């Protein structure tokens, strides 16, 4: 197959390109090429999708499958469809579970109500709802243009080597250092993940098998305490103690949920309590295979050491912030 990856230099899109090359496909990556290199064996065509008409360089090319991971631009999505949509037999669009209206209730599916669609607005401040709404508009554009050839993948928490967010990676990095590790005391919260390599393999499988439809792309859920315990079991030295911090203490000390500086990564407030509690069975039945949390933790730790364990991180607590939190108990 000849596969076009719109991206191919960072995290998921790079993993898709690498997996496609590994299977012997001819892979072209359309990207700026400023944030990283494409995998060995793939070809890069330099494209800046912020420039109108940038994808015209690909007009007339034939691809057996197109994979678009456009993060937050329906204009990017529409232009790709305009240039390539008529000729591609299979089209993957990577969306997000952020498209859903209600993250507080468990047991929802791809049929659950989504946010209203929103157009691009570079001047608007980023927030989770705006991100989800732009993804909704992008999904609509894909389904309107290539609906009978479209594989729409609403990804959950993507983990593994190469993750730029630090959300998951914080935990194996911190737990590998041992001692007392502050964790959220959130007995009602579920957690789930999908390793970037497993998601990439499913995307390539779907292109090869012409799988179409809309799916939540994530693995089975389990209690967050179990999830963090599996990470500790994989990477923490003997004697490591996970210290559960009551949620009111986290809130009083202004520890942010989910991600970002001074945060307790993966912890969710009541409004998003079920964000990682979605039904993984349709995706699993359609071919998604996920490795264990522990396996991902070990490989993520190796990546953390490549980057530097003590670096300034995008998510999590610094040593002094964690000490403050433990002292408050």
């Amino acid at each position: 197959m000849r596969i076009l990856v719109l991206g191919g230099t960072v995290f998921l899109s790079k993993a898709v390109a690498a997996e496609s090359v590994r299977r012997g496909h001819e892979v072209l990556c359309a990207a700026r090429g400023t944030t990283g290199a494409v995998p060995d064996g793939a070809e890069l065509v330099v494209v800046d999708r912020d420039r109108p008409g940038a994808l015209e360089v690909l007009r007339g090319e034939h691809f057996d499958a197109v994979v678009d991971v456009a993060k937050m631009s329906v204009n990017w999505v529409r232009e790709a469809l305009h240039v390539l949509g008529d000729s591609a037999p299979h089209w993957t669009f990577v969306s997000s579970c952020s498209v859903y209206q209600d993250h507080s209730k468990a047991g929802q599916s791809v049929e659950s109500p989504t946010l209203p669609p929103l157009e691009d607005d570079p001047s608007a401040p980023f927030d989770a709802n705006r991100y989800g709404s732009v993804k909704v508009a992008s999904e609509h554009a894909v389904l309107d243009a290539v609906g009978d050839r479209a594989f729409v993948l609403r990804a959950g928490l993507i983990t593994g080597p190469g993750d730029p967010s630090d959300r998951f990676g914080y935990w194996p990095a911190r737990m590998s250092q041992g001692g007392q590790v502050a964790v959220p005391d959130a007995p009602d919260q579920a957690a789930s993940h999908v390793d970037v390599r497993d998601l990439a393999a499913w995307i390539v499988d779907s292109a090869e098998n012409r799988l179409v439809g809309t799916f939540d792309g994530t693995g089975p859920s389990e209690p967050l305490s179990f999830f963090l315990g599996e990470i500790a079991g994989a990477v923490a030295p003997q004697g490591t103690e996970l210290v559960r911090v009551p949620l009111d203490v986290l809130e009083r000390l202004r520890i942010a949920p989910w991600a970002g500086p001074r945060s307790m990564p993966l912890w969710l407030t009541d409004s998003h309590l079920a964000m990682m509690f979605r039904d993984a069975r349709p995706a699993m039945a359609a071919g998604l295979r996920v490795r264990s949390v522990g396996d991902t933790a070990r490989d993520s730790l190796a990546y953390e050491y490549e980057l530097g364990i003590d670096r300034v991180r995008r998510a999590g607590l610094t040593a002094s912030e964690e000490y403050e939190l433990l002292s408050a108990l």
Side-chain angles (χ1 to χ4, degrees), residues 72-129:
M72 194 176 169
S73 175
V74 66
N75 290 338
W76 285 14
V77 173
R78 289 196 184 109
E79 182 173 5
L81 291 162
H82 174 69
V83 174
L84 301 161
D86 288 343
S87 60
H90 190 266
W91 193 282
T92 295
F93 176 66
V94 179
S95 186
S96 167
C97 283
S98 294
V99 300
Y100 295 108
Q101 279 185 15
D102 188 355
H103 296 287
S104 65
K105 298 175 183 176
Q108 299 190 63
S109 71
V110 292
E111 303 301 325
S112 301
T114 58
L115 293 165
L118 275 181
E119 296 298 310
D120 292 354
D121 181 0
S123 66
F126 176 86
D127 64 50
N129 281 349

Side-chain angles (χ1 to χ4, degrees), residues 23-66:
R23 299 189 192 189
H25 299 305
E26 180 184 351
V27 182
L28 184 68
C29 299
R32 287 175 296 186
T34 58
T35 54
V38 300
D40 291 343
E43 178 185 351
L44 172 68
V45 56
V46 177
V47 165
D48 183 352
R49 295 177 78 179
D50 282 329
R51 298 178 58 186
L55 292 179
E56 288 294 332
V57 67
L58 298 174
R59 188 177 290 278
E61 296 272 3
H62 174 75
F63 300 99
D64 299 293
V66 174

